[in-house]
Amino acid sequence: MTNNKMLSDFDVLIRGQLTVNLPITVIMLAVFFGLLEFADLSLRLNLLIAFIFGWISWSILVKKWILWAKENNVSDERLLKIGKPGLLVWSIHTIETVTKKNKNPWI
């Protein structure tokens, strides 16, 4: 959904937190505690598996967030400025992988 109003940095950050970091946190916790309850694995292995699920989820969800931001005319530099402190992206390479190569980052 594209609109003509300029999004504030706060709008872009909140959208990223709610569509990327919140679901990843829920997924990682569900996997970790689900494995604790239903699998006879070590804590380290549970944590590693939860981390892997979180990483895969991040690569899919952050792509959706970046594409949403681009549809709303947010520049790559501004997206990096907002996303880096918000723990959404780490470098401009992550954004360029999505926008220029049309790939999921880190998969």
Side-chain angles (χ1 to χ4, degrees), residues 10 13 24 30 37 40 50 100:
F10 183 76
L13 177 64
I24 288 170
E37 185 67 29
D40 190 23
K100 293 186 171 75

Short mmCIF file of all heavy atoms in Angstrom, two decimals, residues 10 13 24 30 37 40 50 100:
data_model
loop_
_atom_site.label_atom_id
_atom_site.label_comp_id
_atom_site.label_asym_id
_atom_site.label_seq_id
_atom_site.Cartn_x
_atom_site.Cartn_y
_atom_site.Cartn_z
N PHE A 10 10.16 7.26 13.11
CA PHE A 10 9.47 6.46 14.12
C PHE A 10 8.51 5.48 13.48
O PHE A 10 8.45 4.31 13.89
CB PHE A 10 8.73 7.39 15.10
CG PHE A 10 8.05 6.66 16.22
CD1 PHE A 10 8.78 6.15 17.28
CD2 PHE A 10 6.67 6.48 16.20
CE1 PHE A 10 8.14 5.46 18.30
CE2 PHE A 10 6.03 5.79 17.22
CZ PHE A 10 6.78 5.28 18.28
N LEU A 13 10.57 2.67 11.96
CA LEU A 13 11.15 1.84 13.01
C LEU A 13 10.11 0.96 13.67
O LEU A 13 10.33 -0.25 13.84
CB LEU A 13 11.83 2.72 14.06
CG LEU A 13 12.43 1.97 15.26
CD1 LEU A 13 13.55 1.04 14.82
CD2 LEU A 13 12.90 2.94 16.31
N ILE A 24 10.19 -12.60 15.43
CA ILE A 24 11.39 -13.42 15.62
C ILE A 24 11.56 -13.80 17.08
O ILE A 24 11.90 -14.94 17.40
CB ILE A 24 12.63 -12.67 15.09
CG1 ILE A 24 12.60 -12.62 13.58
CG2 ILE A 24 13.92 -13.33 15.57
CD1 ILE A 24 13.63 -11.71 12.98
N ALA A 30 9.36 -19.71 21.37
CA ALA A 30 8.50 -20.87 21.19
C ALA A 30 9.31 -22.12 20.84
O ALA A 30 9.06 -23.19 21.39
CB ALA A 30 7.46 -20.59 20.11
N GLU A 37 10.46 -28.65 26.40
CA GLU A 37 9.32 -29.43 26.88
C GLU A 37 9.20 -30.78 26.18
O GLU A 37 8.91 -31.79 26.82
CB GLU A 37 8.03 -28.62 26.68
CG GLU A 37 6.79 -29.26 27.24
CD GLU A 37 6.79 -29.34 28.75
OE1 GLU A 37 7.41 -28.49 29.42
OE2 GLU A 37 6.16 -30.29 29.27
N ASP A 40 14.43 -34.19 24.16
CA ASP A 40 15.45 -34.46 25.17
C ASP A 40 16.81 -34.03 24.62
O ASP A 40 17.66 -34.85 24.30
CB ASP A 40 15.44 -35.96 25.51
CG ASP A 40 16.31 -36.27 26.72
OD1 ASP A 40 16.55 -35.37 27.53
OD2 ASP A 40 16.76 -37.43 26.82
N ALA A 50 16.91 -22.78 18.11
CA ALA A 50 16.06 -21.59 18.19
C ALA A 50 16.72 -20.43 17.43
O ALA A 50 16.04 -19.68 16.71
CB ALA A 50 15.82 -21.19 19.65
N LYS A 100 18.47 -4.57 -4.84
CA LYS A 100 19.14 -4.67 -6.14
C LYS A 100 19.22 -6.09 -6.67
O LYS A 100 19.16 -6.32 -7.87
CB LYS A 100 20.53 -4.06 -6.04
CG LYS A 100 20.50 -2.56 -5.81
CD LYS A 100 21.85 -1.93 -5.86
CE LYS A 100 21.80 -0.44 -5.84
NZ LYS A 100 21.51 0.19 -4.61
#
